[in-house]
Amino acid sequence: MISIDGLAVEFSGTTLFSDISFVINEKDRIALMGKNGAGKSTLLKILAGVRQPTRGKISAPRDCVIAYLPNT
C-alpha cells in the first residue's frame, strides 16, 4: 500500500497542487488524468523519489518498488 498524505508542490510561490491525499492498495489499477500543467508528471516524479514535495508525506513498504520512466 502506498499512502500519500497532505502532498503539496509550489514553484516560485505558485501552487501547482496542495493537500493531496490518497491510498493505492496492492491490487489497485489507477489512471492519472488532468489538463496540461496540472502536475501529473510532477506527482509521478514525487512518488518515484525523483523529486521532493513542498509539503506532505509518502509512505510505502520497504519492499515496494516505485519506478518512473521519463519521457525523453
Side-chain angles (χ1 to χ4, degrees):
M1 175 174 70
I2 300 169
S3 176
I4 291 79
D5 186 37
L7 208 64
V9 172
E10 298 172 358
F11 293 111
S12 302
T14 302
T15 302
L16 185 58
F17 53 81
S18 64
D19 203 27
I20 303 289
S21 298
F22 59 93
V23 173
I24 304 171
N25 293 303
E26 185 176 350
K27 300 215 181 232
D28 285 352
R29 300 291 182 255
I30 63 170
L32 187 58
M33 302 183 320
K35 65 181 183 175
N36 290 345
K40 300 178 299 289
S41 294
T42 301
L43 178 59
L44 292 175
K45 289 175 187 176
I46 291 169
L47 288 173
V50 175
R51 194 170 200 135
Q52 294 299 313
T54 306
R55 288 185 306 278
K57 181 180 174 185
I58 298 170
S59 302
R62 290 184 190 264
D63 63 343
C64 180
V65 176
I66 302 172
Y68 170 73
L69 180 62
N71 185 6
T72 57

